[in-house]
Amino acid sequence: LRSCSPGRARRTNASRRAYLVARFGDIYAQERLDAETLLRTYINDMEMVQRIIYIAAVESFHAAKMAYRQFKIRVRETLSLGHSGPESLEDTVLDYIVRHEDLYDVQASVNEVICSMNINPKISFPPETDFIVISTLIRELCRVAFSMQTLAPPLDIAFGTDGELFSETKYHRSFHSDFTAALVAYHVWPALMENDVVIVKGEAVTKR
């Protein structure tokens, strides 16, 4: 017999979602600008600095989502051995992950992100230093992205490509954009999505 009452993860879903959406905004307002300031000490080109930060955000979400999937598989395998209810196995797994998010190996994800950035052809870094200088930003993004996977529905970032048609619903234009241009030259920050609906706009630069 299964209980009809939702698990702890489902009961706290709304409050955790509100916190994580706010935290994503805080990272944009604080850690992103800190990383920008830090990168400007090594790189004069503002476009390159902003591209680096955007790619760091995209790679952080990718690494955290992969880590979440692997973590969930391990938890499900372990809990299924002794699971008897009253909650469904899926709810029990989700409750466990929400309670034990500190077991997420965020440093492994940070290392993955930095490795991916090192081979990304769109960005480059002076040889005397390393992308590890923005590891604080990457770590915070990985943590938030991992936690966002525990929500129902999970939150994710929008996929963006250089040269795409600028979307008013998805992005704010950066102040140094050409406001008459229809195409995105590059992205500054990703939009946050829920079920393919934008809930927090990103930022992009438009140029002719």
Side-chain angles (χ1 to χ4, degrees):
L1 224 78
R2 276 189 190 155
S3 163
C4 291
S5 65
R8 181 174 178 272
R10 297 198 187 280
R11 287 197 310 274
T12 61
N13 194 74
S15 59
R16 289 186 297 112
R17 179 188 180 279
Y19 167 76
L20 290 167
V21 170
R23 183 72 191 106
F24 184 76
D26 290 343
I27 293 172
Y28 169 75
Q30 188 60 57
E31 281 91 343
R32 177 186 69 94
L33 293 180
D34 292 344
E36 203 173 88
T37 302
L38 194 56
L39 288 172
R40 287 303 297 270
T41 63
Y42 302 101
I43 303 167
N44 291 325
D45 181 4
M46 188 59 173
E47 178 179 330
M48 181 58 70
V49 165
Q50 291 181 326
R51 280 182 180 273
I52 287 169
I53 289 170
Y54 175 75
I55 288 168
V58 170
E59 292 293 349
S60 294
F61 266 78
H62 177 71
K65 285 191 294 181
M66 291 294 291
Y68 178 79
R69 285 189 203 114
Q70 291 159 4
F71 191 71
K72 192 175 181 181
I73 288 167
R74 290 198 303 272
V75 171
R76 188 188 290 116
E77 284 174 353
T78 304
L79 295 183
S80 65
L81 300 173
H83 180 72
S84 59
E87 290 180 355
S88 69
L89 177 60
E90 276 306 298
D91 277 358
T92 305
V93 168
L94 198 56
D95 286 352
Y96 180 91
I97 296 171
V98 168
R99 281 199 308 271
H100 298 93
E101 280 187 54
D102 57 316
L103 296 178
Y104 165 43
D105 185 358
V106 68
Q107 188 56 48
S109 289
V110 171
N111 296 342
E112 277 178 40
V113 172
I114 291 169
C115 283
S116 296
M117 291 175 73
N118 281 330
I119 58 170
N120 191 305
K122 286 187 179 177
I123 52 176
S124 59
F125 214 60
E128 68 273 10
T129 186
D130 189 278
F131 290 120
I132 202 163
V133 298
I134 57 166
S135 58
T136 299
L137 171 70
I138 295 168
R139 181 173 286 104
E140 291 309 306
L141 282 165
C142 285
R143 281 200 181 111
V144 164
F146 185 91
S147 296
M148 283 178 172
Q149 305 316 300
T150 69
L151 299 173
L155 301 184
D156 200 359
I157 53 171
F159 177 74
T161 55
D162 291 355
E164 70 178 316
L165 195 64
F166 178 77
S167 166
E168 293 280 0
T169 58
K170 203 180 276 188
Y171 301 107
H172 297 289
R173 273 187 172 92
S174 283
F175 70 92
H176 51 287
S177 292
D178 177 343
F179 279 73
T180 62
L183 301 180
V184 172
Y186 65 93
H187 299 79
V188 175
W189 194 250
L192 191 64
M193 313 282 285
E194 182 179 64
N195 280 343
D196 296 324
V197 176
V198 177
I199 56 171
V200 179
K201 282 187 180 184
E203 186 181 333
V205 174
T206 53
K207 287 180 184 175
R208 286 192 178 279

Short mmCIF file of all heavy atoms in Angstrom, two decimals, residues 118-176:
data_model
loop_
_atom_site.label_atom_id
_atom_site.label_comp_id
_atom_site.label_asym_id
_atom_site.label_seq_id
_atom_site.Cartn_x
_atom_site.Cartn_y
_atom_site.Cartn_z
N ASN A 118 39.18 24.43 -21.74
CA ASN A 118 40.54 24.43 -22.30
C ASN A 118 40.58 23.99 -23.76
O ASN A 118 41.50 24.36 -24.50
CB ASN A 118 41.46 23.54 -21.47
CG ASN A 118 41.93 24.23 -20.20
OD1 ASN A 118 42.06 25.45 -20.16
ND2 ASN A 118 42.18 23.46 -19.16
N ILE A 119 39.58 23.19 -24.18
CA ILE A 119 39.58 22.71 -25.57
C ILE A 119 38.50 23.39 -26.42
O ILE A 119 38.27 23.00 -27.55
CB ILE A 119 39.43 21.18 -25.63
CG1 ILE A 119 38.14 20.72 -24.94
CG2 ILE A 119 40.65 20.48 -25.05
CD1 ILE A 119 37.81 19.25 -25.16
N ASN A 120 37.83 24.41 -25.85
CA ASN A 120 36.79 25.11 -26.61
C ASN A 120 37.44 26.09 -27.59
O ASN A 120 38.18 26.98 -27.17
CB ASN A 120 35.85 25.86 -25.65
CG ASN A 120 34.61 26.38 -26.35
OD1 ASN A 120 34.70 27.10 -27.33
ND2 ASN A 120 33.45 26.01 -25.83
N PRO A 121 37.18 25.94 -28.89
CA PRO A 121 37.86 26.79 -29.88
C PRO A 121 37.42 28.25 -29.87
O PRO A 121 38.10 29.10 -30.46
CB PRO A 121 37.49 26.13 -31.22
CG PRO A 121 36.19 25.42 -30.95
CD PRO A 121 36.26 24.97 -29.51
N LYS A 122 36.29 28.57 -29.21
CA LYS A 122 35.78 29.95 -29.22
C LYS A 122 36.46 30.85 -28.20
O LYS A 122 36.29 32.06 -28.24
CB LYS A 122 34.27 29.95 -28.96
CG LYS A 122 33.45 29.47 -30.13
CD LYS A 122 31.98 29.66 -29.86
CE LYS A 122 31.14 29.20 -31.03
NZ LYS A 122 29.70 29.31 -30.74
N ILE A 123 37.15 30.25 -27.23
CA ILE A 123 37.77 31.06 -26.18
C ILE A 123 39.25 30.73 -26.04
O ILE A 123 39.68 29.63 -26.34
CB ILE A 123 37.05 30.87 -24.81
CG1 ILE A 123 36.95 29.38 -24.45
CG2 ILE A 123 35.69 31.53 -24.82
CD1 ILE A 123 36.34 29.10 -23.09
N SER A 124 39.99 31.71 -25.58
CA SER A 124 41.42 31.50 -25.35
C SER A 124 41.85 32.28 -24.12
O SER A 124 41.16 33.20 -23.68
CB SER A 124 42.23 31.95 -26.57
OG SER A 124 41.98 33.32 -26.83
N PHE A 125 42.97 31.89 -23.57
CA PHE A 125 43.45 32.48 -22.33
C PHE A 125 44.95 32.68 -22.43
O PHE A 125 45.63 31.86 -23.07
CB PHE A 125 43.12 31.51 -21.18
CG PHE A 125 42.78 32.21 -19.89
CD1 PHE A 125 41.70 33.07 -19.81
CD2 PHE A 125 43.53 31.98 -18.74
CE1 PHE A 125 41.37 33.70 -18.62
CE2 PHE A 125 43.21 32.60 -17.55
CZ PHE A 125 42.12 33.47 -17.50
N PRO A 126 45.51 33.73 -21.84
CA PRO A 126 46.97 33.90 -21.87
C PRO A 126 47.66 32.67 -21.30
O PRO A 126 47.20 32.10 -20.31
CB PRO A 126 47.20 35.12 -20.98
CG PRO A 126 45.91 35.87 -21.00
CD PRO A 126 44.84 34.81 -21.11
N PRO A 127 48.75 32.22 -21.92
CA PRO A 127 49.39 30.97 -21.51
C PRO A 127 49.90 30.96 -20.07
O PRO A 127 50.04 29.89 -19.47
CB PRO A 127 50.55 30.81 -22.50
CG PRO A 127 50.76 32.18 -23.08
CD PRO A 127 49.43 32.84 -23.07
N GLU A 128 50.16 32.14 -19.51
CA GLU A 128 50.75 32.18 -18.16
C GLU A 128 49.71 31.94 -17.05
O GLU A 128 50.07 31.85 -15.87
CB GLU A 128 51.49 33.50 -17.92
CG GLU A 128 50.62 34.75 -17.85
CD GLU A 128 50.35 35.37 -19.22
OE1 GLU A 128 50.69 34.73 -20.24
OE2 GLU A 128 49.82 36.50 -19.25
N THR A 129 48.43 31.86 -17.42
CA THR A 129 47.41 31.64 -16.39
C THR A 129 46.43 30.56 -16.84
O THR A 129 46.69 29.84 -17.79
CB THR A 129 46.72 32.97 -16.03
OG1 THR A 129 45.83 32.73 -14.94
CG2 THR A 129 45.94 33.54 -17.21
N ASP A 130 45.30 30.43 -16.13
CA ASP A 130 44.42 29.27 -16.34
C ASP A 130 42.98 29.64 -16.00
O ASP A 130 42.74 30.53 -15.18
CB ASP A 130 44.92 28.14 -15.41
CG ASP A 130 44.25 26.82 -15.70
OD1 ASP A 130 43.12 26.62 -15.21
OD2 ASP A 130 44.83 25.99 -16.42
N PHE A 131 42.02 28.92 -16.57
CA PHE A 131 40.60 29.17 -16.28
C PHE A 131 40.25 28.90 -14.81
O PHE A 131 39.18 29.28 -14.36
CB PHE A 131 39.71 28.31 -17.18
CG PHE A 131 39.72 28.73 -18.62
CD1 PHE A 131 40.12 27.86 -19.62
CD2 PHE A 131 39.33 30.02 -18.99
CE1 PHE A 131 40.13 28.25 -20.95
CE2 PHE A 131 39.34 30.42 -20.31
CZ PHE A 131 39.75 29.53 -21.30
N ILE A 132 41.15 28.28 -14.10
CA ILE A 132 40.91 28.00 -12.67
C ILE A 132 40.71 29.29 -11.88
O ILE A 132 40.13 29.27 -10.79
CB ILE A 132 42.07 27.15 -12.08
CG1 ILE A 132 41.62 26.42 -10.82
CG2 ILE A 132 43.32 28.00 -11.81
CD1 ILE A 132 42.51 25.29 -10.39
N VAL A 133 41.14 30.42 -12.43
CA VAL A 133 40.97 31.70 -11.72
C VAL A 133 39.50 32.05 -11.50
O VAL A 133 39.16 32.79 -10.59
CB VAL A 133 41.70 32.89 -12.42
CG1 VAL A 133 43.19 32.67 -12.48
CG2 VAL A 133 41.12 33.17 -13.80
N ILE A 134 38.60 31.48 -12.34
CA ILE A 134 37.17 31.74 -12.13
C ILE A 134 36.45 30.52 -11.54
O ILE A 134 35.25 30.34 -11.73
CB ILE A 134 36.47 32.23 -13.42
CG1 ILE A 134 36.63 31.23 -14.57
CG2 ILE A 134 36.99 33.61 -13.82
CD1 ILE A 134 35.67 31.49 -15.74
N SER A 135 37.20 29.71 -10.81
CA SER A 135 36.61 28.48 -10.25
C SER A 135 35.51 28.76 -9.22
O SER A 135 34.61 27.94 -9.04
CB SER A 135 37.69 27.58 -9.64
OG SER A 135 38.40 28.25 -8.64
N THR A 136 35.54 29.92 -8.55
CA THR A 136 34.47 30.27 -7.60
C THR A 136 33.14 30.39 -8.33
O THR A 136 32.12 29.84 -7.89
CB THR A 136 34.79 31.60 -6.88
OG1 THR A 136 36.01 31.45 -6.16
CG2 THR A 136 33.68 31.98 -5.90
N LEU A 137 33.14 31.08 -9.47
CA LEU A 137 31.93 31.21 -10.30
C LEU A 137 31.47 29.83 -10.77
O LEU A 137 30.27 29.49 -10.66
CB LEU A 137 32.22 32.10 -11.51
CG LEU A 137 31.11 32.16 -12.58
CD1 LEU A 137 29.89 32.90 -12.07
CD2 LEU A 137 31.63 32.80 -13.86
N ILE A 138 32.39 29.04 -11.28
CA ILE A 138 32.05 27.70 -11.80
C ILE A 138 31.46 26.83 -10.70
O ILE A 138 30.45 26.15 -10.90
CB ILE A 138 33.30 27.04 -12.44
CG1 ILE A 138 33.75 27.83 -13.67
CG2 ILE A 138 33.03 25.58 -12.79
CD1 ILE A 138 35.13 27.45 -14.20
N ARG A 139 32.07 26.87 -9.52
CA ARG A 139 31.59 26.04 -8.39
C ARG A 139 30.15 26.41 -8.01
O ARG A 139 29.31 25.54 -7.81
CB ARG A 139 32.52 26.20 -7.19
CG ARG A 139 32.12 25.34 -5.98
CD ARG A 139 33.14 25.40 -4.88
NE ARG A 139 34.33 24.63 -5.22
CZ ARG A 139 35.49 25.14 -5.61
NH1 ARG A 139 35.65 26.46 -5.70
NH2 ARG A 139 36.51 24.36 -5.91
N GLU A 140 29.88 27.71 -7.91
CA GLU A 140 28.54 28.15 -7.53
C GLU A 140 27.51 27.78 -8.60
O GLU A 140 26.39 27.38 -8.28
CB GLU A 140 28.52 29.66 -7.27
CG GLU A 140 29.28 30.07 -6.02
CD GLU A 140 28.86 29.27 -4.79
OE1 GLU A 140 27.66 29.23 -4.49
OE2 GLU A 140 29.73 28.67 -4.15
N LEU A 141 27.88 27.90 -9.86
CA LEU A 141 26.98 27.52 -10.95
C LEU A 141 26.70 26.02 -10.93
O LEU A 141 25.56 25.59 -11.13
CB LEU A 141 27.58 27.93 -12.31
CG LEU A 141 27.44 29.40 -12.68
CD1 LEU A 141 28.38 29.76 -13.83
CD2 LEU A 141 25.99 29.73 -13.06
N CYS A 142 27.73 25.22 -10.70
CA CYS A 142 27.55 23.76 -10.63
C CYS A 142 26.61 23.38 -9.48
O CYS A 142 25.72 22.54 -9.65
CB CYS A 142 28.90 23.06 -10.45
SG CYS A 142 29.92 23.01 -11.95
N ARG A 143 26.80 24.00 -8.33
CA ARG A 143 25.94 23.71 -7.17
C ARG A 143 24.48 24.02 -7.47
O ARG A 143 23.58 23.23 -7.17
CB ARG A 143 26.40 24.53 -5.96
CG ARG A 143 27.62 23.97 -5.26
CD ARG A 143 27.68 24.52 -3.83
NE ARG A 143 28.86 24.02 -3.14
CZ ARG A 143 29.91 24.74 -2.80
NH1 ARG A 143 29.94 26.04 -3.09
NH2 ARG A 143 30.93 24.21 -2.17
N VAL A 144 24.24 25.20 -8.03
CA VAL A 144 22.87 25.62 -8.35
C VAL A 144 22.27 24.71 -9.43
O VAL A 144 21.12 24.27 -9.32
CB VAL A 144 22.84 27.10 -8.80
CG1 VAL A 144 21.54 27.44 -9.50
CG2 VAL A 144 23.01 28.00 -7.59
N ALA A 145 23.05 24.42 -10.46
CA ALA A 145 22.56 23.57 -11.55
C ALA A 145 22.21 22.17 -11.04
O ALA A 145 21.19 21.60 -11.44
CB ALA A 145 23.61 23.48 -12.66
N PHE A 146 23.04 21.63 -10.15
CA PHE A 146 22.77 20.30 -9.58
C PHE A 146 21.46 20.33 -8.79
O PHE A 146 20.59 19.47 -8.97
CB PHE A 146 23.93 19.88 -8.67
CG PHE A 146 23.81 18.48 -8.12
CD1 PHE A 146 24.35 17.40 -8.80
CD2 PHE A 146 23.15 18.23 -6.92
CE1 PHE A 146 24.25 16.11 -8.29
CE2 PHE A 146 23.03 16.95 -6.41
CZ PHE A 146 23.58 15.89 -7.10
N SER A 147 21.31 21.33 -7.94
CA SER A 147 20.09 21.45 -7.12
C SER A 147 18.85 21.63 -7.99
O SER A 147 17.77 21.14 -7.65
CB SER A 147 20.21 22.62 -6.14
OG SER A 147 21.26 22.40 -5.22
N MET A 148 19.00 22.34 -9.10
CA MET A 148 17.86 22.57 -10.00
C MET A 148 17.34 21.28 -10.62
O MET A 148 16.18 21.22 -11.04
CB MET A 148 18.25 23.58 -11.08
CG MET A 148 18.28 25.01 -10.59
SD MET A 148 18.80 26.16 -11.90
CE MET A 148 18.51 27.75 -11.09
N GLN A 149 18.19 20.24 -10.67
CA GLN A 149 17.76 18.96 -11.22
C GLN A 149 16.83 18.22 -10.26
O GLN A 149 16.13 17.29 -10.67
CB GLN A 149 18.96 18.08 -11.57
CG GLN A 149 19.97 18.72 -12.51
CD GLN A 149 19.34 19.44 -13.67
OE1 GLN A 149 18.63 18.85 -14.47
NE2 GLN A 149 19.58 20.75 -13.76
N THR A 150 16.82 18.61 -8.99
CA THR A 150 15.96 17.94 -7.99
C THR A 150 14.55 18.52 -7.98
O THR A 150 13.68 18.03 -7.25
CB THR A 150 16.55 18.05 -6.57
OG1 THR A 150 16.48 19.42 -6.13
CG2 THR A 150 18.00 17.58 -6.51
N LEU A 151 14.31 19.57 -8.77
CA LEU A 151 12.99 20.19 -8.82
C LEU A 151 12.07 19.43 -9.78
O LEU A 151 12.53 18.73 -10.66
CB LEU A 151 13.10 21.65 -9.26
CG LEU A 151 13.92 22.58 -8.38
CD1 LEU A 151 14.06 23.94 -9.05
CD2 LEU A 151 13.29 22.73 -7.00
N ALA A 152 10.77 19.60 -9.59
CA ALA A 152 9.79 19.01 -10.51
C ALA A 152 8.89 20.13 -11.04
O ALA A 152 8.08 20.64 -10.28
CB ALA A 152 8.97 17.95 -9.78
N PRO A 153 9.06 20.53 -12.30
CA PRO A 153 10.05 20.06 -13.27
C PRO A 153 11.43 20.67 -13.00
O PRO A 153 11.51 21.73 -12.37
CB PRO A 153 9.48 20.56 -14.60
CG PRO A 153 8.75 21.82 -14.24
CD PRO A 153 8.16 21.55 -12.88
N PRO A 154 12.49 20.03 -13.49
CA PRO A 154 13.83 20.60 -13.31
C PRO A 154 14.01 21.89 -14.11
O PRO A 154 13.28 22.12 -15.08
CB PRO A 154 14.77 19.50 -13.84
CG PRO A 154 13.92 18.69 -14.75
CD PRO A 154 12.53 18.76 -14.23
N LEU A 155 14.93 22.72 -13.66
CA LEU A 155 15.24 23.96 -14.40
C LEU A 155 16.52 23.74 -15.20
O LEU A 155 17.40 22.98 -14.81
CB LEU A 155 15.43 25.13 -13.43
CG LEU A 155 14.25 25.48 -12.52
CD1 LEU A 155 14.55 26.71 -11.70
CD2 LEU A 155 12.97 25.69 -13.32
N ASP A 156 16.61 24.44 -16.33
CA ASP A 156 17.78 24.31 -17.19
C ASP A 156 18.02 25.65 -17.86
O ASP A 156 17.21 26.57 -17.76
CB ASP A 156 17.54 23.22 -18.24
CG ASP A 156 18.83 22.68 -18.84
OD1 ASP A 156 19.93 23.17 -18.48
OD2 ASP A 156 18.76 21.78 -19.70
N ILE A 157 19.14 25.75 -18.57
CA ILE A 157 19.43 26.99 -19.30
C ILE A 157 19.10 26.80 -20.78
O ILE A 157 19.12 25.69 -21.29
CB ILE A 157 20.88 27.46 -19.11
CG1 ILE A 157 21.88 26.34 -19.45
CG2 ILE A 157 21.10 28.00 -17.71
CD1 ILE A 157 23.33 26.78 -19.48
N ALA A 158 18.81 27.90 -21.44
CA ALA A 158 18.48 27.87 -22.87
C ALA A 158 19.74 27.60 -23.69
O ALA A 158 20.83 28.03 -23.33
CB ALA A 158 17.87 29.20 -23.29
N PHE A 159 19.56 26.90 -24.79
CA PHE A 159 20.66 26.65 -25.73
C PHE A 159 20.80 27.88 -26.62
O PHE A 159 19.82 28.35 -27.20
CB PHE A 159 20.35 25.41 -26.55
CG PHE A 159 21.39 25.10 -27.60
CD1 PHE A 159 22.62 24.58 -27.24
CD2 PHE A 159 21.14 25.36 -28.94
CE1 PHE A 159 23.58 24.31 -28.20
CE2 PHE A 159 22.10 25.09 -29.91
CZ PHE A 159 23.32 24.55 -29.54
N GLY A 160 21.99 28.44 -26.70
CA GLY A 160 22.21 29.63 -27.52
C GLY A 160 23.34 29.43 -28.51
O GLY A 160 24.32 28.77 -28.20
N THR A 161 23.19 29.99 -29.70
CA THR A 161 24.26 29.91 -30.70
C THR A 161 24.54 31.30 -31.27
O THR A 161 23.62 32.11 -31.44
CB THR A 161 23.87 28.97 -31.87
OG1 THR A 161 22.63 29.40 -32.43
CG2 THR A 161 23.75 27.54 -31.42
N ASP A 162 25.80 31.55 -31.58
CA ASP A 162 26.16 32.81 -32.23
C ASP A 162 25.41 32.91 -33.55
O ASP A 162 25.28 31.93 -34.29
CB ASP A 162 27.68 32.84 -32.51
CG ASP A 162 28.51 32.95 -31.24
OD1 ASP A 162 27.91 33.09 -30.16
OD2 ASP A 162 29.74 32.86 -31.34
N GLY A 163 24.89 34.10 -33.83
CA GLY A 163 24.21 34.32 -35.10
C GLY A 163 22.73 33.98 -35.09
O GLY A 163 22.05 34.15 -36.09
N GLU A 164 22.22 33.51 -33.93
CA GLU A 164 20.78 33.21 -33.86
C GLU A 164 19.98 34.51 -33.87
O GLU A 164 20.49 35.57 -33.53
CB GLU A 164 20.46 32.37 -32.62
CG GLU A 164 20.59 33.12 -31.30
CD GLU A 164 20.21 32.27 -30.09
OE1 GLU A 164 19.19 31.56 -30.15
OE2 GLU A 164 20.94 32.33 -29.08
N LEU A 165 18.71 34.40 -34.22
CA LEU A 165 17.81 35.55 -34.20
C LEU A 165 17.59 35.98 -32.75
O LEU A 165 17.30 35.16 -31.89
CB LEU A 165 16.47 35.17 -34.85
CG LEU A 165 15.53 36.31 -35.24
CD1 LEU A 165 16.17 37.19 -36.32
CD2 LEU A 165 14.20 35.75 -35.72
N PHE A 166 17.77 37.28 -32.49
CA PHE A 166 17.60 37.78 -31.12
C PHE A 166 16.14 37.63 -30.68
O PHE A 166 15.22 37.98 -31.42
CB PHE A 166 18.02 39.26 -31.03
CG PHE A 166 17.82 39.84 -29.66
CD1 PHE A 166 18.70 39.56 -28.64
CD2 PHE A 166 16.71 40.65 -29.39
CE1 PHE A 166 18.51 40.09 -27.36
CE2 PHE A 166 16.52 41.19 -28.12
CZ PHE A 166 17.42 40.90 -27.11
N SER A 167 15.95 37.10 -29.46
CA SER A 167 14.61 36.91 -28.92
C SER A 167 14.39 37.82 -27.72
O SER A 167 15.10 37.72 -26.72
CB SER A 167 14.42 35.45 -28.50
OG SER A 167 13.27 35.30 -27.70
N GLU A 168 13.40 38.71 -27.83
CA GLU A 168 13.07 39.63 -26.72
C GLU A 168 12.58 38.86 -25.49
O GLU A 168 12.73 39.32 -24.37
CB GLU A 168 11.98 40.61 -27.17
CG GLU A 168 12.39 41.59 -28.24
CD GLU A 168 13.20 42.77 -27.71
OE1 GLU A 168 13.44 42.84 -26.49
OE2 GLU A 168 13.60 43.62 -28.54
N THR A 169 11.97 37.71 -25.72
CA THR A 169 11.44 36.94 -24.58
C THR A 169 12.54 36.17 -23.86
O THR A 169 12.37 35.81 -22.69
CB THR A 169 10.37 35.92 -25.05
OG1 THR A 169 10.94 35.06 -26.03
CG2 THR A 169 9.16 36.63 -25.63
N LYS A 170 13.66 35.96 -24.55
CA LYS A 170 14.73 35.13 -23.96
C LYS A 170 15.89 35.95 -23.39
O LYS A 170 16.52 35.54 -22.42
CB LYS A 170 15.25 34.17 -25.04
CG LYS A 170 15.92 32.94 -24.50
CD LYS A 170 16.41 32.03 -25.62
CE LYS A 170 15.32 31.14 -26.15
NZ LYS A 170 15.86 30.14 -27.11
N TYR A 171 16.17 37.11 -24.00
CA TYR A 171 17.36 37.87 -23.61
C TYR A 171 17.10 39.37 -23.45
O TYR A 171 16.22 39.93 -24.10
CB TYR A 171 18.47 37.72 -24.67
CG TYR A 171 18.92 36.30 -24.89
CD1 TYR A 171 18.58 35.61 -26.05
CD2 TYR A 171 19.67 35.63 -23.92
CE1 TYR A 171 18.97 34.30 -26.25
CE2 TYR A 171 20.06 34.31 -24.12
CZ TYR A 171 19.71 33.65 -25.28
OH TYR A 171 20.09 32.36 -25.47
N HIS A 172 17.91 39.97 -22.59
CA HIS A 172 18.08 41.42 -22.59
C HIS A 172 19.25 41.72 -23.51
O HIS A 172 20.20 40.94 -23.58
CB HIS A 172 18.44 41.94 -21.18
CG HIS A 172 17.38 41.70 -20.15
ND1 HIS A 172 16.19 42.38 -20.13
CD2 HIS A 172 17.35 40.84 -19.09
CE1 HIS A 172 15.46 41.97 -19.12
NE2 HIS A 172 16.13 41.03 -18.48
N ARG A 173 19.20 42.87 -24.20
CA ARG A 173 20.37 43.29 -24.97
C ARG A 173 21.39 43.95 -24.05
O ARG A 173 21.03 44.76 -23.21
CB ARG A 173 19.97 44.31 -26.04
CG ARG A 173 19.50 43.72 -27.35
CD ARG A 173 19.30 44.83 -28.37
NE ARG A 173 19.01 44.31 -29.70
CZ ARG A 173 17.79 44.08 -30.17
NH1 ARG A 173 16.74 44.33 -29.40
NH2 ARG A 173 17.61 43.62 -31.40
N SER A 174 22.67 43.61 -24.22
CA SER A 174 23.73 44.31 -23.50
C SER A 174 23.76 45.76 -23.94
O SER A 174 23.41 46.08 -25.08
CB SER A 174 25.09 43.67 -23.77
OG SER A 174 25.23 42.49 -23.03
N PHE A 175 24.20 46.65 -23.04
CA PHE A 175 24.15 48.09 -23.32
C PHE A 175 25.00 48.49 -24.51
O PHE A 175 24.74 49.49 -25.18
CB PHE A 175 24.54 48.90 -22.08
CG PHE A 175 25.99 48.81 -21.71
CD1 PHE A 175 26.90 49.74 -22.19
CD2 PHE A 175 26.46 47.80 -20.87
CE1 PHE A 175 28.25 49.66 -21.86
CE2 PHE A 175 27.81 47.72 -20.54
CZ PHE A 175 28.70 48.65 -21.03
N HIS A 176 26.06 47.69 -24.84
CA HIS A 176 26.91 48.07 -25.97
C HIS A 176 26.49 47.33 -27.25
O HIS A 176 27.26 47.21 -28.19
CB HIS A 176 28.39 47.81 -25.65
CG HIS A 176 28.71 46.45 -25.14
ND1 HIS A 176 28.38 46.04 -23.87
CD2 HIS A 176 29.32 45.39 -25.73
CE1 HIS A 176 28.78 44.80 -23.70
NE2 HIS A 176 29.34 44.39 -24.81
#
